[in-house]
Amino acid sequence: MKILVTGSKGMVGTALINNLKNIRDGKNKTRPNIHIDEIYEYDLGDEDKLDAYCANCDFVFNLAGVNRPQNQEDFMKGNFGFASTLLETLKKHHNKAPIMLSSSTQASLSGRFGNSEYGKSKLAGEELFFKYAKENNTKAYVYRFPNLMGHSRPKYNSAVSTFCWAVANDEEFTVNDRNTELELLYIDDLVEGMFDLLEGKEKHCEFDGVDAILKDDGRYCVVPVTHKVTLGEIVDLLQEFKTQPVSLMMPKMPNGSFAKKLFSLYLSYLPKDKFKYQLKMNVDDRGSFTELVHTLDCGQVSINITKPGITKGNHWHNSKWEQFIVVAGHGLIQERNINTGEFVEFEVSGDKVEAVYMIPGWTHNIINLSKTENLVTVMTCNEIFNKDRPDTFFEVVK
């Protein structure tokens, strides 16, 4: 399959092309039914390339358009006008390749979009594509996208990108109304929707105002995974993300959640000098202990370094439990039940990485058996250490 992507330098075009290349080059094996031979990248202004691409392509993603012109009349020229050029060029070469159109919910011309010149130009483009498909016995897939969320230029046409950039770079920003709600489509979900389209698994819909209503025989297509969030919720999450290197607290980010996607987007705006941050190492003559990550519901992860011949631990917990995972060096873990006296020990080594539970009610320690090398242990604990309720009691194991 030879795929033409117009608007290739935009946010959506860039992300789509990068991921199409992953499939073409065999790096992404999750879509075995998609076979790509060539990807034609076209951006506005190079008509000679457009002619050659339209002669040879098997599928078209039309993402080209304008959304911030100097003059209002340029909306129609840049959106409807280019759509006309693209379709006429395909007709010139008798190419009946299926074509996807990136439109906008503003094309509904409902609610606050009632007088949108951008929406009018998008609606005109939609009707042009539907008419073209009918007259030329081919398929047109029209998507009315809501607000898109991906790495794009700040202070341009995405409030989310602007907020991410501002918070990541310690810049001032203004939220006019924290209660303003946005419907957001994340770029990765959009790309997966385009892969579904290539596999013939696209979702269809009709529109009730700006709301997409799934319908098997719907005139429009839709990527159904969107998130409705307020501006206040967005900036509050971003401020929480910003404190993570200091608090170590990793916000709750369930799989598929808006928070998980926003955190990934926020990180993409970090200046290079913030890629790295310091951790507090608690150092003494026995070695060091450094907390790495705190979580809201799964406790914390730390790294423990034990010097040669040193024993650490010799304490027990009522309810707290831990896992010790030696990743470098040679050591011995010992545990004793404080009630029954039962005893167990495990010889551990970075040459064979294993996890050992520290059981509640069992006093435990870890001993570095080497005379020359440090023992490095990753330690997980089911709760963040609370100095007011440490649930940690000294008692020698043996």
Side-chain angles (χ1 to χ4, degrees), residues 4 37 68 85 90 112 115 132 134 146 150 177 213 224 232 239 255 269 279 306 314 323 328 340 346 350 357 377 384:
L4 167 60
D37 300 307
R68 293 288 291 271
T85 300
L90 288 168
R112 61 192 179 95
N115 295 313
Y132 168 84
K134 184 176 181 180
D177 183 356
I213 310 300
Q239 295 293 0
N255 189 37
Y269 286 94
L279 294 168
T306 308
N314 284 322
Q323 286 179 308
T340 67
F346 306 94
Y357 279 118
T377 309
I384 298 170

Side-chain angles (χ1 to χ4, degrees), residues 135-267:
E135 291 179 350
N136 293 275
N137 192 30
T138 187
K139 292 183 178 180
Y141 304 96
V142 177
Y143 288 77
R144 283 182 174 177
F145 291 134
N147 295 286
L148 300 182
M149 173 181 157
H151 191 94
S152 60
R153 189 193 335 170
K155 298 183 178 181
Y156 186 59
N157 65 340
S158 169
V160 179
S161 290
T162 300
F163 294 152
C164 285
W165 169 82
V167 173
N169 290 274
D170 304 313
E171 298 284 347
E172 293 185 0
F173 62 94
T174 301
V175 180
N176 293 323
D177 183 356
R178 286 177 53 88
N179 295 317
T180 297
E181 185 179 74
L182 300 179
E183 182 180 8
L184 294 164
L185 172 59
Y186 184 52
I187 188 64
D188 285 8
D189 295 322
L190 189 158
V191 168
E192 290 299 318
M194 297 305 96
F195 289 168
D196 285 343
L197 175 58
L198 289 176
E199 289 187 331
K201 300 189 297 187
E202 75 281 358
K203 300 293 185 182
H204 288 260
C205 73
E206 292 291 348
F207 279 88
D208 180 7
V210 297
D211 295 324
I213 310 300
L214 289 176
K215 190 175 181 182
D216 290 342
D217 60 349
R219 190 185 192 201
Y220 294 90
C221 294
V222 64
V223 178
V225 184
T226 62
H227 302 272
K228 291 185 177 181
V229 291
T230 65
L231 295 181
E233 290 169 333
I234 293 169
V235 297
D236 288 349
L237 276 171
L238 290 173
Q239 295 293 0
E240 189 177 355
F241 298 160
K242 184 175 183 176
T243 65
Q244 190 274 327
V246 177
S247 69
L248 303 183
M249 181 62 72
M250 191 63 67
K252 293 189 73 170
M253 294 183 288
N255 189 37
S257 67
F258 173 75
K260 183 175 182 179
K261 298 168 185 177
L262 183 65
F263 193 49
S264 294
L265 183 59
Y266 164 76
L267 290 176

